[in-house]
């Protein structure tokens, strides 16, 4: 049986009583692939899928029968590949427009309407003007993904249905309530941010070997950014990059501040929302070792996604017995 046949079989056996809430977490989101694979091996095939930010992207691949294709792509990603997808801009509300990434997704997903998917699917986004939580349950799948992944400061906001939309993780990092609204009786939630608060900078400061290994690759990223900035801020470029990279030993850089702030925010929001509407099973991949943009570390994230399912096997078995 081929990988594609296995995935199709999973969708054919999807159970609309079971919902899965795939949380936000940037590069840690590849863990969702491992989670979905491990659940399928246990005979658990969610028929209701809600995604926030990177969870929207992986959830869309699952719901559109393209999880195998996504896994093959992310498993081969390198830092040089990532460079090719960075359509940098300083004038559109974010460092990256995100259009190149969506074009890649279009090659795999195609022009699909959410309501035509074989499982119930929806994503969370945030309305920039009002801060309202927006549930996107119909319309173009790719447009919804683009809105949900628009991480403030990094990706440009998305204009959809007359609204400026940004990352869904700002209001609902793990969309359990959306799963319930879609009719799921039991919900598995995947929280990518449970063990990361306070660990981002510690990891950076303590893991010298990892940093040295990545230095050459990351230098390519900053060289590209530097070249983009040269034409706009030639006289202020060096000072700007110094602040961006956090070259001072006494102060974190812009991306470090942004990553840590987002981690704190999403962790606090998740704790609050889970207290009011807890899922039947909570999966917590241990991924504090991965940084905000380490999308080339898919193997690490996918492996841990599988591992966290195994750790929660007793709770999952109990959930199944209640159906």
């Amino acid at each position: 049986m081929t990988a594609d046949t296995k995935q199709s079989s999973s969708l054919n056996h999807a159970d609309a009583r079971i919902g899965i809430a795939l949380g936000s977490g940037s590069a840690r989101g590849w863990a969702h692939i491992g989670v979905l694979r491990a659940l399928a091996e246990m005979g658990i095939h969610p028929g209701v899928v809600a995604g926030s930010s990177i969870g929207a992207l992986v959830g869309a691949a699952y719901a559109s029968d393209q999880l195998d294709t996504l896994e093959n792509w992310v498993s081969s990603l390198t830092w040089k590949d990532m460079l090719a997808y960075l359509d940098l801009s300083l004038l559109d509300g974010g460092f990256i427009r995100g259009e190149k990434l969506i074009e890649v997704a279009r090659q795999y997903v195609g022009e699909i309407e959410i309501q035509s998917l074989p499982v119930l699917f929806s994503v969370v986004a945030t309305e920039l003007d009002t801060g309202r939580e927006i549930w996107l349950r119909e319309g173009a799948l790719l447009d919804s993904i683009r809105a949900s992944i628009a991480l403030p400061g990094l990706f440009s906001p998305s204009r959809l249905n007359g609204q400026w939309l940004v990352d869904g993780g700002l209001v609902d990092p793990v969309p359990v309530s959306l799963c319930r609204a879609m009719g799921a009786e039991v919900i598995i939630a995947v929280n990518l941010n449970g063990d990361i608060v306070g660990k981002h900078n510690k990891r950076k400061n303590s893991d010298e070997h990892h940093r040295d290994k990545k230095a050459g690759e990351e230098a390519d990223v900053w060289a590209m950014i530097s070249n983009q900035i040269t034409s706009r801020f030639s006289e202020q470029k060096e000072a700007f990059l110094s602040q961006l990279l956090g070259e001072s030993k006494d102060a974190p850089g812009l991306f470090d501040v942004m990553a840590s702030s987002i981690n704190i925010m999403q962790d606090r929001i998740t704790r609050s929302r889970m207290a009011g509407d807890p899922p039947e099973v909570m999966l917590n991949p241990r991924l504090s070792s991965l940084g905000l943009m380490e999308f080339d570390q898919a193997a690490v994230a996918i492996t841990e996604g599988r591992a966290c399912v195994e750790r929660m096997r007793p709770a999952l078995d109990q959930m199944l017995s209640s159906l």
Side-chain angles (χ1 to χ4, degrees):
M1 181 179 289
T2 66
D4 287 339
T5 302
K6 289 180 182 178
Q7 175 62 14
S8 294
S9 177
S10 294
L11 290 183
N12 290 338
H13 291 88
D15 190 337
R17 297 173 299 171
I18 302 174
I20 187 162
L22 302 177
S24 61
S26 200
R28 293 182 292 275
W30 299 147
H32 292 316
I33 298 172
V35 166
L36 290 165
R37 294 295 195 206
L39 290 176
E41 290 166 6
M42 289 183 62
I44 301 175
H45 308 292
V48 176
V49 183
S52 184
S53 194
I54 189 67
L57 176 59
V58 178
Y62 170 80
S64 61
D65 198 8
Q66 295 295 327
L67 193 62
D68 296 308
T69 305
L70 178 67
E71 182 174 3
N72 291 336
W73 177 59
V74 304
S75 296
S76 66
L77 275 179
T78 66
W79 262 97
K80 288 186 177 180
D81 293 328
M82 289 303 299
L83 287 176
Y85 303 134
L86 299 183
D87 44 357
L88 297 173
S89 171
L90 298 178
L91 302 175
D92 294 321
F95 277 105
I96 302 169
R97 291 191 182 95
E99 301 308 317
K100 288 186 177 181
L101 288 172
I102 293 301
E103 284 303 315
V104 172
R106 181 173 282 109
Q107 296 176 25
Y108 300 123
V109 177
E111 301 293 345
I112 299 175
E113 298 289 309
I114 292 177
Q115 56 270 32
S116 70
L117 294 170
V119 299
L120 290 174
F121 178 69
S122 187
V123 307
V124 178
T126 305
E127 186 178 12
L128 187 60
D129 291 337
T130 65
R132 290 193 305 124
E133 179 177 343
I134 304 297
W135 292 351
L136 300 172
R137 303 179 62 173
E138 58 183 23
L141 180 62
L142 287 174
D143 289 344
S144 298
I145 295 171
R146 175 64 182 86
S148 189
I149 67 171
L151 190 67
L154 188 62
F155 287 99
S156 303
S158 177
R159 186 73 171 174
L160 186 62
N161 301 327
Q163 301 168 307
W164 284 110
L165 302 179
V166 292
D167 198 291
L170 294 180
V171 289
D172 196 358
V174 187
V176 172
S177 57
L178 177 52
C179 267
R180 294 205 193 281
M182 295 165 68
E185 297 177 17
V186 296
I187 296 170
I188 303 165
V190 187
N191 178 20
L192 301 175
N193 303 304
D195 73 333
I196 56 175
V197 171
K199 294 184 179 180
H200 178 76
N201 287 327
K202 291 179 183 177
R203 175 189 63 81
K204 181 179 177 181
N205 292 333
S206 63
D207 196 348
E208 295 294 337
H209 174 74
H210 178 72
R211 180 167 57 184
D212 289 344
K213 181 180 177 181
K214 300 287 290 186
E217 297 168 335
E218 291 180 351
D220 290 338
V221 175
W222 301 121
M224 183 177 180
I225 293 176
S226 177
N227 290 335
Q228 291 278 341
I229 292 169
T230 299
S231 61
R232 297 174 173 87
F233 305 104
S234 57
E235 295 181 359
Q236 301 177 7
K237 183 185 67 172
E238 295 301 324
F240 179 83
L241 285 178
S242 178
Q243 291 293 322
L244 189 69
L245 293 168
E247 291 178 353
S248 169
K249 295 181 180 180
D250 299 323
L254 173 61
F255 278 178
D256 283 329
V257 171
M258 184 174 70
S260 295
S261 298
I262 290 171
N263 290 345
I264 292 168
M265 176 197 70
Q266 293 188 341
D267 177 65
R268 296 300 183 263
I269 294 173
T270 299
R271 289 171 186 261
S272 177
R273 297 196 66 138
M274 293 301 100
D277 188 11
E280 278 62 37
V281 178
M282 174 72 86
L283 302 177
N284 293 287
R286 298 167 183 170
L287 292 168
S288 61
S289 62
L290 291 187
L292 184 73
M293 294 292 287
E294 291 186 289
F295 289 100
D296 60 323
Q297 299 297 307
V300 173
I302 292 172
T303 298
E304 175 54 23
R306 284 182 169 275
C308 78
V309 170
E310 188 60 34
R311 289 194 296 269
M312 294 299 292
R313 180 178 286 269
L316 289 164
D317 287 336
Q318 183 177 0
M319 181 201 76
L320 287 177
S321 67
S322 70
L323 291 173

